[in-house]
Amino acid sequence: LKIAESDITFKRKPVIIIVVGMAGSGKTTFLHRLVCHTLSSNIRGYVLNLDPAVTTLPFGANIDIRDTVRYKEVMKEYNLGPNGGILTSLNLFATKFDEVISVIERRADQLDYVLVDTPGQIEIFTWSASGAIITEAFASTFPTVIAYVVDTPRSANPVTFMSNMLYACSILYKTRLPLVLVFNKVDVAKHEFALEWMEDFEAFQAAIETDSSYTSTLTRSLSLVLDEFYKNLKSVGVSAVSGTGMEAFFSAIEASAEEYMENY
Ligand code: GDP
Ligand code: MG
């Protein structure tokens, strides 16, 4: 049996890595680190910046939303505040996203990864129509993986940790794409506590009970939900500043891309 070329809808490469995470978690710094790593390891990367409001990027982007939409002018023209301006800029860019996909398709043979930076404020990408359109456009063409960046030192509090994980969980269910938890800033705080909480439900219960008087049945139910969520993902500890964890990150991405190929 011969399969016609046109029947092959998904390409194996490049793998799209969409970097999301709370404001200040270190997405842009992490992306810069990824770019440095690809350059020094002979990995062929392509970089896409989707943050219209960033003033200086530490890396060179191959495709930059700022070349197409001027965020400040969008704010003036539509009489919007900063968040409305970013959202509207992303909407305008999303209407032309098929062009971005074509550009990447044309280069597909020469690329291993496409690294995508998203706006600082997480919900602008994860809870907007344009974020969904962009994610869907990628995922219907290439293996696509979400890298969810966590500010490890800020997540040492069990209640904060739980909120952050619930947010990641909502992204997993919304996108239905493989998700890698990237515990960033391990140069400041190691992520072992997080691994322990994720592996041992009772350790997390104990932490949350000593940390707060918040020992409701809701917390218990939520940690059961999360227990199920943790089984569906991979996690790595990295430092965007020192560069630790890059190999582990790319292994997790490769495994997630395999998962994508099997399920989508
Ligand atoms: P974004 O809003 O998610 O894009 O976050 P940025 O990349 O702009 O980083 C926010 C802040 O966290 C900056 O001050 C970074 O220098 C800092 N940061 C990012 N990654 C690391 C890291 O691995 N270690 C430390 N110590 N700081 C980091
Ligand atoms: Mg950023």
Side-chain angles (χ1 to χ4, degrees), residues 128-231:
S128 66
S130 47
I133 288 166
I134 290 170
T135 306
E136 180 57 34
F138 274 137
S140 58
T141 324
F142 306 105
T144 305
V145 179
I146 306 288
Y148 186 85
V149 180
V150 178
D151 187 322
T152 310
R154 282 202 61 195
S155 302
N157 174 296
V159 177
T160 311
F161 181 79
M162 187 168 70
S163 328
N164 208 346
M165 292 303 110
L166 287 169
Y167 204 102
C169 184
S170 74
I171 292 172
L172 180 83
Y173 285 104
K174 198 160 179 284
T175 62
R176 289 191 239 126
L177 290 171
L179 189 140
V180 176
L181 278 183
V182 181
F183 287 100
N184 189 28
K185 312 193 185 183
V186 296
D187 57 300
V188 177
K190 296 233 181 317
H191 71 302
E192 269 66 28
F193 72 87
L195 296 182
E196 196 199 344
W197 287 347
M198 292 167 74
E199 271 154 29
D200 183 353
F201 166 75
E202 281 171 6
F204 182 72
Q205 284 297 332
I208 212 157
E209 281 170 22
T210 48
D211 183 80
S212 64
S213 55
Y214 193 57
T215 57
S216 65
T217 48
L218 175 63
T219 322
R220 281 180 180 279
S221 314
L222 289 179
S223 33
L224 280 171
V225 170
L226 287 175
D227 207 44
E228 194 56 39
F229 164 64
Y230 298 145
K231 289 181 193 142

Side-chain angles (χ1 to χ4, degrees), residues 3 23 40 90 137 159 201 223 250:
I3 302 167
S40 65
L90 200 65
V159 177
F201 166 75
S223 33
F250 279 101

Side-chain angles (χ1 to χ4, degrees), residues 30 33-34 37 180-184 186-187 191 235-253:
F30 180 60
R33 175 56 62 186
L34 293 180
H37 181 82
V180 176
L181 278 183
V182 181
F183 287 100
N184 189 28
V186 296
D187 57 300
H191 71 302
S235 47
V236 291
V238 305
S239 166
V241 166
S242 80
T244 26
M246 291 304 119
E247 314 269 295
F249 173 76
F250 279 101
S251 309
I253 292 294

Side-chain angles (χ1 to χ4, degrees), residues 12 143-145 172 176-180 231-234 252-264:
R12 173 68 187 82
T144 305
V145 179
L172 180 83
R176 289 191 239 126
L177 290 171
L179 189 140
V180 176
K231 289 181 193 142
N232 291 308
L233 48 82
K234 294 165 187 66
I253 292 294
E254 279 306 305
S256 301
E258 291 298 325
E259 192 188 310
Y260 173 99
M261 296 304 283
E262 282 161 23
N263 298 325
Y264 296 86

Side-chain angles (χ1 to χ4, degrees), residues 27-29 51 54 117-120:
K27 296 180 288 295
T28 302
T29 317
D51 187 353
V54 71
D117 198 6
T118 58

